[in-house]
Amino acid sequence: MIEMVIEARKKDLGGFEVGRILPFHARRMVGPFIFLDHMGPAEFAPGAEGVNVRPHPHIGLSTLTYLFEGEIKHRDNLGYTQPIRPGEVNWMTAGKGIVHSERTDPLKRSTGGPMHGMQAWIALPDDLEETDPAFHHHGEDDQPTYDNGGLYARLVAGEAYGAKAAVPISSPLFYVHWELAEGVRTAPPPGKGAGGMSERAFYVVKGEIEVGDRTFGEGQLVVLEPTAEPTIKAIRPSTVMVLGGEPVGQRLIWWNFVASSQARLDQAKADWKAGRMTLPKDDDAEFIPLPETPSISETGTPAKPGPTHPV
């Protein structure tokens, strides 16, 4: 029933902690999900820096930012400036190249407050790796929800349970946020044997759940076997993210770049180093230089310690 369990690896980003979940040396992707981070939870003191990710580039992927608490302001070189708040979705498609920053608004820094959320990268299929970059924001009310008997669910992206989210995905996938009361039983979307997705997993954000005779808690990603149809029971109130989809093929990762070929990664490195990728016009006073040793290597495994991986 359970193929693998992956423990989030904690990384201190100076003021708050991030749990790196994917990629993992023994499991690089789940469907098209090639990167998954759990941000926080953290409580920023008044005047603290908060989130302060300088402009940086991406290729070959879509990023998905989803918050439980707090706020982050997104800026990109397409001209979009957009705060993201709990329950909302920022979906940014890098394609052939995009540059963005993610920061705490100065007013929010002055008052402090919580930060807690998830960030995912979704690898683009071969025929869309070089698509034009794009940005989409969807408010809390744009996403299908279900609330009954102690189970609250929001479909963040993709299709599941007969519903479809507003996010313009590029390949078959689902991404669901569950809030489970103690004792509630539920199930993930069906697997391969039942006509569903080939690859599925769930991540315990907080709380504790039971699958069969095993229990799982905060910071654990549980990868399911393709044909498994488990029942999940909340042992205590729990927040769980459920994700899956169809594989898009082998992908290489170097720093913020995802590609199906080494040549494309090398071109992206050269473009960023030479300044051929423009900065956001309202956030162009600084940027993250191309690192000599990225924190994600070409094989998708953690590399030697180096610059903190921006998101």
Side-chain angles (χ1 to χ4, degrees), residues 70-257:
E71 180 179 312
I72 299 174
K73 181 167 285 188
H74 160 98
R75 293 183 178 89
D76 63 44
N77 64 348
L78 301 180
Y80 291 97
T81 297
Q82 177 65 57
I84 177 171
R85 302 179 179 94
E88 301 177 346
V89 178
N90 269 13
W91 178 274
M92 183 184 76
T93 297
K96 61 187 178 183
I98 199 167
V99 179
H100 78 134
S101 64
E102 290 177 304
R103 303 183 191 258
T104 299
D105 185 90
L107 181 59
K108 294 291 183 181
R109 287 203 305 268
S110 68
T111 59
M115 173 55 59
H116 191 200
M118 304 291 298
Q119 289 219 334
W121 294 358
I122 295 93
L124 294 172
D126 291 348
D127 60 341
L128 292 176
E129 282 190 284
E130 296 299 317
T131 193
D132 288 337
F135 176 79
H136 298 271
H137 176 82
H138 295 281
E140 185 176 5
D141 295 336
D142 289 347
Q143 310 307 312
T145 59
Y146 174 85
D147 191 357
N148 187 42
L151 166 63
Y152 175 83
R154 174 182 284 120
L155 181 59
V156 177
E159 296 186 49
Y161 306 115
K164 183 177 182 179
V167 168
I169 61 174
S170 300
S171 65
L173 63 85
F174 64 83
Y175 194 35
V176 180
H177 169 198
W178 282 344
E179 291 291 337
L180 308 175
E182 181 178 343
V184 166
R185 297 175 183 268
T186 186
K192 188 175 182 179
M197 299 293 182
S198 299
E199 299 183 2
R200 297 165 299 152
F202 57 85
Y203 176 73
V204 184
V205 176
K206 67 177 181 180
E208 188 177 17
I209 61 172
E210 181 180 81
V211 181
D213 60 355
R214 300 177 65 178
T215 59
F216 304 96
E218 180 178 334
Q220 292 187 305
L221 179 77
V222 180
V223 182
L224 298 170
E225 293 179 345
T227 59
E229 299 299 336
T231 296
I232 297 169
K233 177 184 176 181
I235 297 175
R236 51 192 175 92
S238 300
T239 302
V240 180
M241 300 301 289
V242 193
L243 59 139
E246 296 301 323
V248 295
Q250 184 178 1
R251 290 294 181 270
L252 305 176
I253 305 178
W254 195 93
W255 192 39
N256 303 309
F257 305 136

